[in-house]
Amino acid sequence: MKKNILGAAVIFFVTLAFLLMIDDITSNGNHEPQQPNVQVYDVNEQPDIATTDQEEQ
């Protein structure tokens, strides 16, 4: 009896995971567009920050 309940629980969770995966794949994709993290500068324009090779202490 215990093995039947354990087997049913495993089948239930595997089926649930499979259905959630199918739902995620077939969703419309109404996700917010991500903002790009890269800033592009013109040739003569320089950023307002400076980078150094030394670590701060």
Side-chain angles (χ1 to χ4, degrees), residues 3-21:
K3 289 184 179 180
N4 289 340
I5 293 174
L6 182 62
V10 168
I11 291 173
F12 172 75
F13 285 115
V14 168
T15 304
L16 182 65
F18 181 73
L19 290 175
L20 287 172
M21 184 179 66

Side-chain angles (χ1 to χ4, degrees), residues 4-43:
N4 289 340
I5 293 174
L6 182 62
V10 168
I11 291 173
F12 172 75
F13 285 115
V14 168
T15 304
L16 182 65
F18 181 73
L19 290 175
L20 287 172
M21 184 179 66
I22 294 293
D23 182 53
D24 191 41
I25 291 172
T26 59
S27 66
N28 288 337
N30 292 333
H31 305 292
E32 293 290 325
Q34 295 181 353
Q35 296 294 329
N37 293 334
V38 177
Q39 295 180 352
V40 179
Y41 297 101
D42 290 333
V43 175

Side-chain angles (χ1 to χ4, degrees), residues 40-54:
V40 179
Y41 297 101
D42 290 333
V43 175
N44 294 327
E45 182 182 351
Q46 294 184 3
D48 294 336
I49 59 172
T51 57
T52 60
D53 293 335
Q54 298 176 354

